[in-house]
Amino acid sequence: MELLIEFFTALYDLSNAMAIFIIFGLAFAGVMHELVSETLVTKHLGRESISSVIKSTIFGIPLPVCSCGVIPLATSIKKSGASKGATLSFLISTPITGVDSILATYGMFGWIFTLYRVMTSMVIAMIAGILTNIYDKEIIPDEVEEKSDSCCCSSTCSSETEVKKKFSLKKAIEYAFVTLLGDIAKALFWGLIIGALITIAIPQNLSDILVEYSWLSYIIAIAIAVPMYVCATASLPIAAGLMLSGVSAGAAFVFLSAGPATNTVTIGVVKKMLGTKSLYIYLGTIIFGSVIFGLGLDFVFDINSIDAKSLIHMQEHAGLLEIASSVILWIMMLFFILKPYFKKI
């Protein structure tokens, strides 16, 4: 009974800390979706050059698209004539961060950690793209089909040609709180649950081991992050749970970086769409880049004697706005999770 109370307390704290930023982030994502069309993105990524890699990375950072939702868009970009490097950098940068995730990261970890996450994501994506353009000249037949059925997302997985349209507030809201939230509801739900469980479930002796042998926590974070699907926003409560349990900020960062950028579906699509060499560059750059930047983060924390737990902003007494946001978010999440079952009744 005591553990159950601790679990719901941890879940309550995590929800209150993140909900308001997720809601505002979704709203901004909806506006951005209306203002930035897929055809505009495709237009600027059609050249095999470093500039196209940089553009694809910059385009990808704020876009509110998950790690499976980016697949059809990246396929469309590739079919339109974009280089392998530009396509790969877009595939990496887009799912790691988005407007909603950036705001949620700021709300939970502060602006320094948020800026570090965004900047390192850009570096990893650009390095992968440049290496691909240099070392992978193999021509792959344009045979990749857009398999939205195998994607973990639904309506964001659309790569139909868009015509120029006027801004619609109604459509922005629908995209934010119906399409986008509907796509991430289940992942966000489990992210909050797992984050709360990690907070209370990791034994103190295991936390001590992970703190003493930081390399072990890095290996565990990579092993979990690479194959599983977790969106950038849903990964935040899991990382917070790891840090609250004593795991280093660097290891938590590895999970935040590698988790959203990779999953089994994307790995398979990258191999088919770009080839084996690009797949190796894709996985190698993400894994080694995440670890290197994670080690760098731990080094900065160590020399400045910063406690990773102090980064996490969770107020002991949440205000009315935080609680209301949390309630609204949970109602919407549960609605989308239970919606398929309503149809069967």
Side-chain angles (χ1 to χ4, degrees):
M1 186 64 182
E2 185 179 345
L3 279 176
L4 195 61
I5 294 174
E6 289 181 7
F7 166 75
F8 280 110
T9 300
L11 185 61
Y12 174 81
D13 291 338
L14 282 173
S15 299
N16 289 339
M18 294 186 63
I20 188 171
F21 293 97
I22 292 174
I23 290 174
F24 277 114
L26 287 169
F28 279 117
V31 172
M32 181 172 292
H33 181 264
E34 281 297 297
L35 294 177
V36 182
S37 67
E38 293 180 5
T39 53
L40 179 64
V41 176
T42 304
K43 179 182 178 181
H44 289 274
L45 306 183
R47 298 175 183 174
E48 186 171 350
S49 62
I50 293 178
S51 64
S52 69
V53 170
I54 295 173
K55 284 181 180 180
S56 67
T57 301
I58 294 173
F59 270 127
I61 286 292
L63 290 181
V65 184
C66 69
S67 56
C68 276
V70 72
I71 293 173
L73 182 54
T75 303
S76 174
I77 291 170
K78 181 67 174 64
K79 285 182 177 181
S80 71
S83 66
K84 285 187 176 183
T87 305
L88 194 64
S89 61
F90 186 82
L91 271 170
I92 294 173
S93 66
T94 303
I96 294 180
T97 56
V99 174
D100 53 336
S101 176
I102 290 172
L103 285 175
T105 304
Y106 168 76
M108 178 158 285
F109 298 100
W111 69 270
I112 295 177
F113 192 94
T114 303
L115 185 62
Y116 189 81
R117 188 186 187 196
V118 173
M119 295 302 294
T120 54
S121 299
M122 292 179 66
V123 173
I124 291 171
M126 286 189 285
I127 290 175
I130 293 170
L131 289 176
T132 300
N133 278 344
I134 293 174
Y135 294 107
D136 190 2
K137 301 294 185 180
E138 181 183 2
I139 299 175
I140 304 295
D142 198 8
E143 298 175 347
V144 178
E145 298 179 0
E146 298 169 15
K147 299 182 179 180
S148 58
D149 292 338
S150 66
C151 182
C152 48
C153 302
S154 55
S155 43
T156 52
C157 298
S158 173
S159 60
E160 296 178 0
T161 303
E162 296 184 3
V163 296
K164 189 174 182 179
K165 56 185 180 182
K166 294 182 179 179
F167 175 81
S168 169
L169 181 61
K170 180 182 177 182
K171 289 183 179 179
I173 294 173
E174 286 179 352
Y175 179 80
F177 298 105
V178 178
T179 301
L180 188 56
L181 182 58
D183 287 338
I184 71 171
K186 187 178 291 186
L188 185 57
F189 171 83
W190 285 112
L192 288 166
I193 296 295
I194 293 171
L197 285 172
I198 289 173
T199 303
I200 67 167
I202 294 183
Q204 185 59 46
N205 59 342
L206 178 57
S207 297
D208 294 339
I209 292 172
L210 293 177
V211 171
E212 184 176 355
Y213 302 100
S214 59
W215 57 269
L216 182 60
S217 61
Y218 278 62
I219 293 173
I220 293 173
I222 287 293
I224 295 172
V226 170
M228 76 178 291
Y229 168 74
V230 58
C231 70
T233 302
S235 65
L236 292 170
I238 299 176
L242 289 171
M243 290 168 67
L244 288 172
S245 300
V247 175
S248 72
F253 172 83
V254 168
F255 181 83
L256 282 175
S257 182
T262 60
N263 62 67
T264 53
V265 175
T266 309
I267 289 171
V269 171
V270 169
K271 185 178 187 302
K272 186 173 183 180
M273 180 169 64
L274 302 178
T276 304
K277 285 184 180 179
S278 290
L279 176 62
Y280 290 153
I281 293 172
Y282 163 74
L283 290 175
T285 307
I286 291 172
I287 292 172
F288 287 108
S290 299
V291 170
I292 289 171
F293 285 121
L295 288 170
L297 189 62
D298 278 342
F299 176 75
V300 172
F301 275 38
D302 289 341
I303 62 175
N304 291 284
S305 301
I306 301 174
D307 182 7
K309 295 180 183 179
S310 66
L311 278 185
I312 303 173
H313 301 159
M314 296 203 310
Q315 300 174 359
E316 293 184 9
H317 302 288
L320 182 61
L321 186 59
E322 287 81 6
I323 295 173
S325 299
S326 185
V327 170
I328 292 171
L329 182 63
W330 273 97
I331 289 174
M332 290 191 293
M333 281 194 303
L334 291 174
F335 171 78
F336 286 113
I337 292 171
L338 298 175
K339 186 178 179 181
Y341 300 99
F342 296 154
K343 297 178 180 179
K344 296 178 181 180
I345 299 176

